[in-house]
């Protein structure tokens, strides 16, 4: 175990799309845990689109990071030292920790990870926050029903790819929207989406009309912007829209003001509901158990894009806005000794 600790801090607030200059890698002494605290050595670090909002000053559903302070992320790691009765050295845990090689956390802030259930990296993806977001957002907000048509934007991402599969298991016809032919082929060939639209090569308005000839009954929105405008034009009466993310707008310095779509909701009597997975926290364990069962039964598939090296964390984060990842984007900080054994 090293005596030093590297961590990424927010060097400056981005203007538009983040750049490498917004991040600074600093080195300090490895921290020591106090009473009821645990020292965690990071194995996998998550980067997620919502983090862009935390780089911006101002109120949001997640507190902004302070310039000059360490950034935070979902982390899977190994307990190195423990002063908490529930954990001992060698345990694998997950938590919202710092972008660091070593982090201190209260034992109450950590969740044990079952390394026999699936690779431990999945605790940040299909069996973690993205999977639970997809689970509750699909089944309890979008509510796809047998025979209905459901559209998913950002469909090849960590959340969207799980959404589409859960909707398909619920009996819906599923159409995904993604940004490359490779992603679209993955959706239809590997995940059994009924159709996929490449927004970089197709007119989304026209493609939706062809892929959804009977209209759209449910929409899971990870993107916003012009893609969502196109979906709204095809909503059916009593449609349900789950708003999970707006990645098309995260780097905008000025938000677009139109076209206005509220009149469509009157005509279609559609329901639009925002989604924060933290609202479902009391039921996380049950959701993870069911997602894990689907994975073990080969009903639910997942993909991980893993960037190696802690020093490459900013690059992996910036790549989210270039559409480089398929499935969950992770940074492998240190070698997973279980995978290597």
């Amino acid at each position: 175990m090293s005596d030093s600790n590297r961590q990424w801090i927010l060097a400056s607030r981005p203007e538009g799309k983040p750049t490498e200059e917004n991040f600074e890698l600093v080195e300090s002494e490895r921290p020591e845990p106090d009473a009821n605290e645990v020292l965690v050595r990071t194995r996998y670090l998550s980067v997620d689109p919502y983090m862009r909002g935390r780089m911006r000053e101002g109120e949001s559903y997640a507190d902004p990071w302070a310039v000059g302070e360490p950034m935070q992320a979902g982390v899977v790691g190994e307990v190195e030292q423990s002063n908490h009765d529930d954990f001992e050295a060698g345990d694998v845990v997950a938590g919202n920790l710092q972008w660091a090689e070593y982090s201190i956390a209260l034992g109450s802030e950590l969740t044990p990870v079952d390394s026999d259930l699936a690779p431990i990296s999945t605790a940040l993806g299909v069996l973690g926050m993205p999977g639970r977001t997809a689970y509750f957002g699909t089944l309890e907000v979008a509510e796809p029903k047998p025979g209905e048509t459901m559209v998913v934007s950002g469909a090849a991402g960590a959340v969207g790819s799980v959404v589409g599969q859960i909707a398909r298991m619920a009996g819906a016809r599923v159409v995904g929207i993604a940004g490359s032919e490779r992603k679209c082929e993955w959706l239809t060939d590997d995940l059994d989406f009924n159709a996929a639209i490449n927004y970089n090569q197709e007119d989304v308005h026209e493609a939706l009309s062809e892929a959804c000839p009977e209209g759209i009954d449910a929409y899971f929105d990870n993107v916003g912007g012009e893609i969502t405008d196109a979906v709204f034009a095809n909503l059916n009466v009593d449609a349900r829209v789950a708003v999970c993310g707006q990645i098309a707008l995260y780097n905008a310095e000025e938000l677009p003001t139109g076209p206005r779509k509220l009149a469509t909701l009157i005509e279609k009597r559609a329901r639009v509901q925002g989604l924060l997975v933290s609202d479902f926290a009391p039921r996380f364990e049950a959701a993870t158990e069911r997602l894990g069962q689907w994975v073990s039964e080969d009903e639910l598939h997942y993909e991980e894009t893993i960037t190696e090296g802690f020093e490459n964390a900013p690059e992996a984060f910036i790549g989210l806005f270039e559409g480089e990842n398929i499935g969950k984007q992770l940074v492998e900080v240190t070698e997973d000794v279980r995978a290597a054994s």
Side-chain angles (χ1 to χ4, degrees):
M1 182 171 59
S2 173
D3 291 331
S4 64
N5 184 35
R6 293 186 300 167
Q7 57 187 185
W8 284 101
I9 66 172
L10 180 64
S12 60
R13 300 200 184 279
E15 296 182 5
K17 188 180 298 182
T19 68
E20 298 276 356
E21 286 68 33
N22 299 129
F23 305 83
E24 182 181 356
L25 185 61
V26 299
E27 187 168 342
S28 59
E29 292 185 1
R30 188 190 69 242
E32 295 290 333
D34 289 329
N36 294 317
E37 290 185 337
V38 176
L39 175 66
V40 179
R41 181 183 182 187
T42 301
R43 296 295 189 190
Y44 292 96
L45 174 74
S46 175
V47 291
D48 301 277
Y50 83 88
M51 294 175 178
R52 175 61 182 86
R54 302 196 70 180
M55 301 176 80
R56 181 181 293 112
E57 193 171 22
E59 293 185 4
S60 181
Y61 62 86
D63 292 335
W65 290 317
V67 173
E69 294 296 324
M71 301 165 71
Q72 294 178 315
V75 163
V76 167
E78 186 173 302
V79 173
E80 292 284 351
Q81 297 178 20
S82 176
N83 292 327
H84 192 280
D85 291 341
D86 291 343
F87 299 100
E88 61 183 27
D91 288 348
V92 179
V93 295
N96 189 41
L97 307 177
Q98 293 181 353
W99 284 34
E101 292 174 310
Y102 294 92
S103 293
I104 294 289
L106 290 170
S108 58
E109 298 172 337
L110 298 173
T111 302
V113 174
D114 184 355
S115 57
D116 294 327
L117 180 63
I120 63 173
S121 56
T122 59
L124 298 176
V126 65
L127 302 185
M129 181 272 288
R132 293 189 289 264
T133 300
Y135 180 87
F136 291 112
T138 303
L139 297 178
E140 302 198 16
V141 182
E143 297 181 324
K145 300 176 179 62
E148 291 189 333
T149 294
M150 178 161 175
V151 171
V152 186
S153 61
V159 175
S161 59
V162 178
V163 167
Q165 293 178 85
I166 293 175
R168 177 175 50 75
M169 286 189 277
R173 182 174 179 275
V174 181
V175 177
I177 304 175
S180 71
E181 283 304 302
R182 183 169 68 103
K183 291 180 177 181
C184 288
E185 289 173 2
W186 179 59
L187 294 175
T188 55
D189 295 349
D190 295 347
L191 304 189
D192 293 331
F193 279 51
N194 297 94
I197 296 168
N198 181 350
Y199 66 81
N200 279 320
Q201 293 186 0
E202 302 177 68
D203 182 300
V204 177
H205 285 269
E206 294 181 3
L208 281 170
S209 296
E210 294 177 6
C212 310
E214 297 183 3
I216 297 169
D217 302 291
Y219 173 45
F220 198 100
D221 185 14
N222 289 305
V223 173
E226 295 180 359
I227 289 175
T228 294
D229 291 343
V231 172
F232 270 40
N234 289 274
L235 292 178
N236 286 333
V237 172
D238 294 327
R240 288 84 58 200
V241 177
V243 183
C244 178
Q246 300 282 282
I247 194 170
L249 307 177
Y250 286 166
N251 293 318
E253 290 299 293
E254 294 185 9
L255 295 180
T257 58
R260 307 292 185 182
K261 295 296 179 182
L262 293 182
T264 301
L265 304 182
I266 300 172
E267 175 189 355
K268 302 299 183 180
R269 280 83 84 195
R271 185 190 76 206
V272 179
Q273 182 175 334
L275 166 65
L276 283 181
V277 69
S278 56
D279 292 342
F280 300 91
R283 292 188 284 149
F284 278 1
E285 185 175 349
T288 303
E289 181 177 348
R290 192 171 185 191
L291 289 163
Q293 181 179 353
W294 284 334
V295 170
S296 66
E297 294 173 351
D298 204 31
E299 291 288 333
L300 182 60
H301 299 167
Y302 66 92
E303 189 73 29
E304 296 174 331
T305 299
I306 298 179
T307 298
E308 295 184 0
F310 181 63
E311 64 278 3
N312 296 318
E315 177 185 339
F317 175 71
I318 293 168
L320 293 172
F321 303 98
E322 303 291 342
E324 295 178 358
N325 63 295
I326 289 183
K328 177 61 188 167
Q329 175 66 64
L330 297 169
V331 178
E332 186 174 11
V333 177
T334 53
E335 182 183 8
D336 179 5
V337 293
R338 288 162 179 74
S341 61

